[in-house]
Amino acid sequence: MPISPRALEPAPAGFDDCTSCAYRTTGTPAICFACTGADSPAPAGTTCDVCGHVSDDRDPCPNTVCGLDDRYFSRLYTVTGRAEEMWSAVYRLEYGEERDLAEVLGRVLVGYLKHNREEPAGYNLITTGAGYVGPLAHRPWDHLHLIVEEAQRRTDGWPFAPGLIAKSGPTGRFLGLGPAERRTIAEGELRSALSVPEPERVAGRRILVLDDVYSEGFSLRETARVLLGAGAAGVAGLVLARRKGG
């Protein structure tokens, strides 16, 4: 039976206050994942078959890539529906360099995988979206790798394989840009920068790609494209949250 954060003593500080929570260093994936879903009612409406976005009416999914014929990935799994709180944590880790949040998010990831074991178990490898950490990078570490390292410390049996996709240099940031501008960057400089250095590791495998936020889907589309080109049998995405403009 899932853990109820309300039943814990002391009570968790709340998802947006992870670093001040009594369970930050002593908690378990079960507690941290339960906290990300606390007080988050299931939305009602029409659900996108690709990303799970729920619309109030019959309008198509607002995430551009979900409607493309050449999407390359089959579907998207989302760790939490509390997009704003998750985006705050991701932003503080990636841009504020609050690296202790990787520990929390690693536990959240493990909690999700255990709670939803059947669907991710159908993939042979769980890798990370490509990040550049070379001499021109604005930080010498990859926040997704930090999250996966923390997840690996807390579980076994999940086929984590970070870094299957390489990125040869920095590319334009999507933050604050509209869909057309994001697509231009993705299909231009991002596509040129991505590669799979060891295609034999992905050939014939079904691969789940971990990323932080799904906004339009252009980054995941390019990642799936390069993996399929290297021989992968199929690609799906796993993101911490869906958030427009993230």
Side-chain angles (χ1 to χ4, degrees):
M1 188 170 180
I3 287 177
S4 171
R6 296 189 188 89
L8 297 172
E9 183 61 41
F15 182 44
D16 201 33
D17 295 310
C18 292
T19 53
S20 63
C21 181
Y23 300 98
R24 184 179 70 81
T25 58
T26 62
T28 68
I31 291 175
C32 291
F33 175 64
C35 197
T36 68
D39 302 316
S40 181
T46 303
T47 302
C48 173
D49 292 336
V50 178
C51 75
H53 175 87
V54 178
S55 301
D56 293 334
D57 48 37
R58 296 289 177 178
D59 288 341
C61 179
N63 298 309
T64 306
V65 172
C66 291
L68 298 180
D69 292 332
D70 57 347
R71 188 177 62 245
Y72 299 113
F73 61 93
S74 59
R75 65 159 301 172
L76 183 85
Y77 302 96
T78 305
V79 169
T80 178
R82 296 178 65 182
E84 294 307 315
E85 292 94 332
M86 179 58 81
W87 170 242
S88 173
V90 168
Y91 189 93
R92 287 157 58 194
L93 168 61
E94 185 175 2
Y95 300 107
E97 301 195 11
E98 296 183 37
R99 295 179 64 168
D100 54 350
L101 283 169
E103 178 181 5
V104 175
L105 296 180
R107 287 203 298 266
V108 169
L109 174 59
V110 170
Y112 171 85
L113 291 172
K114 289 183 175 181
H115 187 72
N116 301 275
R117 181 174 296 275
E118 185 174 337
E119 290 179 331
Y123 295 88
N124 307 112
L125 298 170
I126 303 174
T127 192
T128 49
Y132 174 70
V133 293
L136 299 178
H138 69 278
R139 81 180 73 80
W141 47 273
D142 185 318
H143 68 295
L144 293 174
H145 280 226
L146 293 183
I147 293 170
V148 167
E149 286 172 5
E150 294 295 340
Q152 287 176 303
R153 289 173 52 195
R154 289 164 175 80
T155 188
D156 55 18
W158 291 101
F160 290 114
L164 292 179
I165 311 112
K167 190 176 180 184
S168 61
T171 56
R173 288 170 58 177
F174 285 178
L175 193 61
L177 300 181
E181 296 167 298
R182 290 172 180 237
R183 184 169 188 170
T184 297
I185 293 172
E187 294 180 352
E189 53 190 285
L190 179 59
R191 181 174 294 183
S192 298
L194 296 182
S195 65
V196 178
E198 300 177 274
E200 66 276 9
R201 295 183 64 190
V202 308
R205 304 294 186 91
R206 299 186 71 240
I207 300 175
L208 194 59
V209 178
L210 173 69
D211 211 338
D212 46 24
V213 175
Y214 182 89
S215 180
E216 297 293 340
F218 291 115
S219 292
L220 179 57
R221 178 182 179 233
E222 295 306 319
T223 301
R225 180 180 180 276
V226 75
L227 285 168
L228 291 175
V235 179
L238 170 62
V239 293
L240 300 176
R242 292 190 313 271
R243 180 185 185 272
K244 297 295 289 182

